[in-house]
Amino acid sequence: MVSRPRRHPLVPLTLLLSVLLIAMFAQTPFLTLAAFAGAVLYLATAGRSALTRRGVLGYLILWTLVAVTNPLFSTGGATPIVFVNGRPYTREALLYGIHLGGMLISVLLWFRCESFLVSDENRFFLFGRIAPKSALLISTVLRFVPLLRRRAEARGGAPTAGGG
Protein backbone atom coordinates (compact mmCIF):
# COMPACT_ATOMS: atom_id res chain seq x y z
CA MET A 1 0.00 0.00 0.00
CA VAL A 2 1.20 3.49 -0.78
CA SER A 3 2.29 5.39 2.30
CA ARG A 4 0.54 8.69 2.67
CA PRO A 5 3.06 11.52 2.87
CA ARG A 6 2.41 14.33 5.30
CA ARG A 7 0.56 16.96 3.30
CA HIS A 8 -2.53 19.04 3.65
CA PRO A 9 -5.59 16.92 2.74
CA LEU A 10 -6.88 19.64 0.43
CA VAL A 11 -4.11 18.85 -2.08
CA PRO A 12 -5.23 15.29 -3.00
CA LEU A 13 -8.89 16.33 -2.78
CA THR A 14 -8.26 19.13 -5.29
CA LEU A 15 -6.46 16.69 -7.58
CA LEU A 16 -9.30 14.19 -7.36
CA LEU A 17 -12.03 16.76 -7.95
CA SER A 18 -10.25 18.23 -10.97
CA VAL A 19 -9.59 14.83 -12.55
CA LEU A 20 -13.16 13.70 -11.85
CA LEU A 21 -14.65 16.86 -13.36
CA ILE A 22 -12.50 16.50 -16.47
CA ALA A 23 -13.29 12.78 -16.76
CA MET A 24 -17.03 13.32 -16.32
CA PHE A 25 -17.63 16.40 -18.43
CA ALA A 26 -14.97 16.39 -21.14
CA GLN A 27 -16.42 14.93 -24.30
CA THR A 28 -13.00 14.22 -25.79
CA PRO A 29 -11.94 10.58 -26.05
CA PHE A 30 -8.30 11.60 -25.52
CA LEU A 31 -9.07 13.11 -22.09
CA THR A 32 -11.18 10.11 -21.16
CA LEU A 33 -8.33 7.81 -22.13
CA ALA A 34 -5.85 9.95 -20.17
CA ALA A 35 -8.06 9.85 -17.04
CA PHE A 36 -8.46 6.08 -17.41
CA ALA A 37 -4.73 5.51 -17.91
CA GLY A 38 -3.88 7.74 -14.95
CA ALA A 39 -6.20 5.85 -12.63
CA VAL A 40 -4.93 2.45 -13.80
CA LEU A 41 -1.30 3.52 -13.40
CA TYR A 42 -1.93 4.88 -9.92
CA LEU A 43 -3.80 1.76 -8.82
CA ALA A 44 -1.11 -0.47 -10.32
CA THR A 45 1.50 1.24 -8.13
CA ALA A 46 -0.73 1.57 -5.05
CA GLY A 47 -0.43 -2.02 -3.93
CA ARG A 48 -1.46 -5.61 -4.51
CA SER A 49 -5.05 -5.23 -3.38
CA ALA A 50 -5.72 -2.04 -5.33
CA LEU A 51 -6.31 -3.56 -8.75
CA THR A 52 -7.07 -7.28 -8.87
CA ARG A 53 -7.90 -9.49 -11.83
CA ARG A 54 -11.42 -9.88 -10.55
CA GLY A 55 -11.82 -6.11 -10.31
CA VAL A 56 -10.44 -5.53 -13.79
CA LEU A 57 -12.77 -8.18 -15.18
CA GLY A 58 -15.75 -6.53 -13.49
CA TYR A 59 -14.82 -3.13 -14.91
CA LEU A 60 -14.37 -4.59 -18.40
CA ILE A 61 -17.76 -6.32 -18.22
CA LEU A 62 -19.41 -3.05 -17.17
CA TRP A 63 -17.62 -1.17 -19.96
CA THR A 64 -18.73 -3.73 -22.55
CA LEU A 65 -22.29 -3.70 -21.24
CA VAL A 66 -22.51 0.09 -21.55
CA ALA A 67 -20.92 0.09 -25.00
CA VAL A 68 -23.20 -2.63 -26.39
CA THR A 69 -26.46 -1.39 -24.89
CA ASN A 70 -26.05 2.30 -25.71
CA PRO A 71 -26.98 1.84 -29.41
CA LEU A 72 -30.16 0.04 -28.34
CA PHE A 73 -31.40 3.20 -26.60
CA SER A 74 -29.74 5.88 -28.71
CA THR A 75 -30.40 5.40 -32.39
CA GLY A 76 -28.66 8.59 -33.50
CA GLY A 77 -26.15 8.12 -36.26
CA ALA A 78 -25.88 7.84 -39.99
CA THR A 79 -24.20 4.45 -40.42
CA PRO A 80 -26.42 1.52 -39.44
CA ILE A 81 -24.61 -1.69 -38.62
CA VAL A 82 -27.66 -3.88 -38.09
CA PHE A 83 -31.38 -3.41 -37.48
CA VAL A 84 -32.81 -4.67 -34.19
CA ASN A 85 -36.64 -4.78 -34.14
CA GLY A 86 -36.73 -2.25 -36.93
CA ARG A 87 -34.43 0.21 -35.13
CA PRO A 88 -30.94 0.93 -36.46
CA TYR A 89 -27.93 -0.12 -34.41
CA THR A 90 -25.52 2.59 -35.62
CA ARG A 91 -21.76 2.82 -35.63
CA GLU A 92 -21.80 6.32 -34.12
CA ALA A 93 -23.97 5.20 -31.20
CA LEU A 94 -21.64 2.24 -30.63
CA LEU A 95 -18.57 4.51 -30.60
CA TYR A 96 -20.30 6.89 -28.21
CA GLY A 97 -21.19 3.91 -26.00
CA ILE A 98 -17.53 2.92 -25.91
CA HIS A 99 -16.64 6.48 -24.93
CA LEU A 100 -19.42 6.62 -22.33
CA GLY A 101 -18.30 3.31 -20.83
CA GLY A 102 -14.73 4.61 -20.66
CA MET A 103 -15.93 7.73 -18.86
CA LEU A 104 -17.88 5.67 -16.35
CA ILE A 105 -15.01 3.28 -15.68
CA SER A 106 -12.43 6.05 -15.32
CA VAL A 107 -14.64 7.85 -12.79
CA LEU A 108 -15.15 4.63 -10.83
CA LEU A 109 -11.41 3.95 -10.86
CA TRP A 110 -10.65 7.47 -9.62
CA PHE A 111 -13.10 7.00 -6.77
CA ARG A 112 -11.16 3.84 -5.95
CA CYS A 113 -7.96 5.92 -5.99
CA GLU A 114 -9.60 8.30 -3.51
CA SER A 115 -9.53 5.65 -0.82
CA PHE A 116 -5.73 5.47 -1.16
CA LEU A 117 -5.15 9.22 -1.40
CA VAL A 118 -7.40 10.56 1.35
CA SER A 119 -7.57 8.84 4.73
CA ASP A 120 -10.59 8.81 7.03
CA GLU A 121 -8.91 11.28 9.36
CA ASN A 122 -8.21 13.68 6.49
CA ARG A 123 -11.79 13.42 5.28
CA PHE A 124 -13.03 14.24 8.76
CA PHE A 125 -10.50 17.09 9.03
CA LEU A 126 -11.71 18.65 5.77
CA PHE A 127 -15.44 18.42 6.40
CA GLY A 128 -15.58 18.36 10.21
CA ARG A 129 -15.95 22.10 10.67
CA ILE A 130 -18.48 22.56 7.89
CA ALA A 131 -20.80 19.69 8.76
CA PRO A 132 -19.47 17.69 11.71
CA LYS A 133 -22.32 15.18 11.95
CA SER A 134 -22.29 14.45 8.23
CA ALA A 135 -18.49 14.15 8.21
CA LEU A 136 -18.61 11.65 11.07
CA LEU A 137 -21.34 9.63 9.36
CA ILE A 138 -19.51 9.55 6.01
CA SER A 139 -16.19 8.63 7.63
CA THR A 140 -17.83 5.83 9.59
CA VAL A 141 -19.64 4.43 6.57
CA LEU A 142 -16.55 4.58 4.36
CA ARG A 143 -14.53 2.86 7.09
CA PHE A 144 -16.95 -0.07 7.29
CA VAL A 145 -16.92 -0.91 3.58
CA PRO A 146 -13.39 -2.42 3.55
CA LEU A 147 -13.95 -3.94 6.97
CA LEU A 148 -17.08 -5.77 5.85
CA ARG A 149 -15.34 -6.89 2.67
CA ARG A 150 -12.45 -8.40 4.68
CA ARG A 151 -14.90 -10.16 6.99
CA ALA A 152 -16.80 -11.62 4.04
CA GLU A 153 -13.59 -12.87 2.45
CA ALA A 154 -12.40 -14.34 5.77
CA ARG A 155 -15.64 -16.32 6.11
CA GLY A 156 -15.21 -17.72 2.64
CA GLY A 157 -17.96 -15.64 1.06
CA ALA A 158 -17.62 -13.57 -2.04
CA PRO A 159 -16.68 -9.92 -1.52
CA THR A 160 -19.33 -7.30 -2.02
CA ALA A 161 -19.95 -5.65 -5.37
CA GLY A 162 -17.49 -3.01 -6.45
CA GLY A 163 -14.87 -4.96 -8.27
CA GLY A 164 -12.47 -5.22 -5.47
Side-chain angles (χ1 to χ4, degrees):
M1 186 162 147
V2 173
S3 62
R4 293 184 178 102
R6 297 185 58 85
R7 63 178 177 257
H8 195 278
L10 198 58
V11 173
L13 188 68
T14 305
L15 166 80
L16 286 166
L17 287 177
S18 60
V19 169
L20 283 172
L21 287 173
I22 289 171
M24 284 190 287
F25 296 115
Q27 293 297 318
T28 307
F30 176 74
L31 290 176
T32 301
L33 185 63
F36 176 76
V40 168
L41 287 174
Y42 180 80
L43 289 173
T45 60
R48 246 182 33 192
S49 66
L51 199 61
T52 60
R53 284 188 195 142
R54 186 176 185 165
V56 170
L57 182 64
Y59 289 126
L60 289 176
I61 289 171
L62 181 62
W63 193 343
T64 305
L65 186 68
V66 169
V68 170
T69 58
N70 183 61
L72 296 175
F73 299 106
S74 170
T75 58
T79 314
I81 298 173
V82 68
F83 287 89
V84 178
N85 291 333
R87 295 181 61 168
Y89 192 91
T90 62
R91 182 183 61 161
E92 292 82 6
L94 179 65
L95 291 175
Y96 184 72
I98 293 170
H99 177 250
L100 189 65
M103 265 194 306
L104 178 67
I105 297 304
S106 63
V107 168
L108 290 174
L109 286 174
W110 275 107
F111 273 116
R112 185 131 174 95
C113 292
E114 187 269 341
S115 66
F116 292 100
L117 286 170
V118 182
S119 68
D120 295 332
E121 297 84 22
N122 288 343
R123 222 176 273 119
F124 190 73
F125 172 76
L126 284 171
F127 301 112
R129 291 185 184 170
I130 299 168
K133 291 179 183 178
S134 299
L136 181 62
L137 178 69
I138 290 170
S139 294
T140 305
V141 167
L142 289 177
R143 169 70 181 111
F144 277 117
V145 170
L147 180 67
L148 291 174
R149 177 173 287 171
R150 281 192 297 266
R151 283 187 186 172
E153 289 174 351
R155 291 182 182 167
T160 58

